[in-house]
Amino acid sequence: MAVNLADCMVNGNEHGNYAIDFADNVTATITPRLIRVGFMAEDKVYDGNAVATVRDFVFPGVIPDDALEMAAATAHFAESKVGAWAVTIDDGFAVTGNDDGNYALDFVEVTAQIKARTTEVTFMADDKVYDGARNATVHGFAFANLVCNDALEMAAATASFAESKVGAWAVTIDDGFTVTGNDDGNYAIAFAPVQASITPKAITVGFTADDKEYDGNTAATVRDFVFDGLVAGDAMEVAATANFAEAKVGVWLVTIDDYTVAGNDDGNYAIAFADNVTAAITPKAMTVGFTADDKVYDGTAVATVRDFVFEGIVAGDALEVAATAQFAERKVGIWAVAIEEGFIVTGNDDGNYAIAFADNVTAAITPKAIVVAFTAEDKVYDGTAVATVRDFVFPGVIDGDALEMADATASFAESKVGVWLVTIDDGFTIAGNEAGNYEVNFAGDVKAEIRHNVQVIPVGWSMTVLSLDNLTDESAAAWANLGVMAFKHSTMQIQRGREPGYGESFWVFNRDGKEVALQGLKRFDLPAWMPPNDEGWVMAGPPAEDYVVPEDVLVWAWNGSVFVLIPPGGKLPAGNAAWFWQ
């Protein structure tokens, strides 16, 4: 290259002694100025190649007014794997401002790092049932963000839950896992956050339920809880309430109603209780009181009971009894009364009560009052009130019983002539009432008549002794109508207008063609009649009692046609007169 002096100063030619000119064929070489270009290489994450990113080129020593700039440059790491590597500028870079090649470019030694590429490893962690440990089961590892053609595989890994108790916990891979395909450490293994659950361990708690007596509710008493399947080291206790399936008598399933478990604060166990536990509700023993009514004897032991008292009945229950009962005996007396089998209790359909009846209830069978009818016979006056009774009728006597009047006396209300009430005297005896089952009363309206004594005057002639006192007016009139003669002073004398006296003897002629019945009163308790002791013939006769003719007396009696001799030992009937010869 030609060299031209553009400006010069020559020392020593101050006086201009020299006209200086310069040769025009002088050449020299301008060589490129060597500069070491500085630059920065960026670290990068492993991507499987050596390509580097460079920037911030610095051109130290550039002549002022020159301006160099890296227009294009590629660079490479010395290796493509993870590490700190020299980075060199690839050939073919382009620098603007150096078109004349004034600069010889060299690059400083620069290093940069290929850093491990983070791969987030996803995986699956299995839920598990609580077993007291934190170990987790993991699988399904997937390596994200891998460089093409790289292949990583989890060869071995263990994992743990964050907690060993029940819950949804983070699952982390334990240190010491092994990944194949990452020998150069090109990948920084990071594990994705994964959760899995430790679920409660299901255990069925066994228990014992006590039988109980019916009390109207389902509350049950439970005890002796058995925790099959507890994890070693765990301990639990239960406080629980329980209920029978029904409140009534029977064998029922018992289920836990409400419970508190000590030792399961973390909920590590899903507790269920055995569903096959049974216990019995037994009948509540009850002695039922009652009232038995007294009754009138009816020949049976049947009793009427009422006013049942259910001591100890459970509140809200209501019982009623329909029952038959029996006296211990069917006869009159105070007897124990017992309820018969077959009683019906309403309100106890479920058999919740074992019913017994009080055994100290008594009642009385009282005599059955009967009014005995009877017949009293009329009688002729005999001076007493004694009555003859018969034909006793016992109305209302129970079938199967037989009463009979064995002995009874009776009395008229009066002993005189008339129609009187007749009553049975005390001291009667009735066969068939030995047990006193009947209270015997007698009809109070039975009457009979005490009639006048009657003396019959036959038709025609008769010899008569008047055996009556107090002839009735009718009889006195009838007597007055008869032809009557009396033997007085050894002669027969006609009697007119005079009422005859007791014991008088008469020769009577009844002309009416029919007997005349005189009514009056006999005399009783008289001494034996004896004939008058008058000498000769005497007309006389016994007024009250038949007269037995002795050996030394002649008696001639009228037989309605003739006089006949009554021999000794023969009888002259009372009321008849005869001729006596003393």
Side-chain angles (χ1 to χ4, degrees), residues 1-47:
M1 176 176 289
V3 176
N4 293 311
L5 290 177
D7 189 16
C8 66
M9 181 170 30
V10 177
N11 288 322
N13 192 27
E14 292 87 1
H15 297 296
N17 296 325
Y18 295 93
I20 297 174
D21 192 12
F22 292 94
D24 60 1
N25 61 347
V26 177
T27 63
T29 301
I30 300 174
T31 58
R33 185 180 181 86
L34 178 63
I35 60 174
R36 294 181 63 82
V37 179
F39 63 93
M40 293 185 66
E42 294 181 358
D43 294 340
K44 78 167 184 176
V45 173
Y46 168 78
D47 58 5

Side-chain angles (χ1 to χ4, degrees), residues 510-581:
N510 178 3
R511 63 173 76 79
D512 288 344
K514 60 181 180 179
E515 293 178 345
V516 173
L518 300 179
Q519 294 183 335
L521 302 178
K522 285 186 177 181
R523 293 185 184 181
F524 297 96
D525 300 324
L526 296 176
W529 177 83
M530 296 298 292
N533 58 6
D534 297 345
E535 292 184 358
W537 292 99
V538 175
M539 186 170 65
E545 301 291 339
D546 293 346
Y547 173 68
V548 180
V549 178
E551 288 290 337
D552 58 348
V553 177
L554 293 176
V555 179
W556 293 84
W558 178 255
N559 69 0
S561 301
V562 295
F563 287 98
V564 295
L565 178 63
I566 299 176
K571 288 184 179 180
L572 176 63
N576 289 310
W579 291 109
F580 286 82
W581 176 262

Side-chain angles (χ1 to χ4, degrees), residues 462-495:
S462 62
M463 297 184 73
T464 299
V465 176
L466 194 62
S467 60
L468 303 176
D469 267 336
N470 301 319
L471 291 179
T472 64
D473 293 342
E474 292 82 358
S475 294
W479 178 264
N481 196 40
L482 297 172
V484 179
M485 291 184 290
F487 189 69
K488 298 288 186 180
H489 307 299
S490 301
T491 61
M492 296 294 289
Q493 298 179 10
I494 295 173
Q495 305 293 308

Side-chain angles (χ1 to χ4, degrees), residues 134-207:
R134 293 175 52 222
N135 59 286
T137 299
V138 289
H139 58 90
F141 291 89
F143 295 85
N145 200 32
L146 291 185
V147 172
C148 183
N149 296 323
D150 283 356
L152 300 185
E153 185 174 345
M154 183 62 71
T158 60
S160 296
F161 285 92
E163 296 280 351
S164 62
K165 60 189 177 183
V166 165
W169 307 111
V171 176
T172 56
I173 303 300
D174 300 331
D175 292 339
F177 59 87
T178 301
V179 176
T180 60
N182 194 31
D183 297 340
D184 293 329
N186 291 327
Y187 291 93
I189 305 293
F191 292 96
V194 171
Q195 271 195 342
S197 293
I198 298 177
T199 59
K201 179 178 175 68
I203 61 171
T204 299
V205 179
F207 60 94

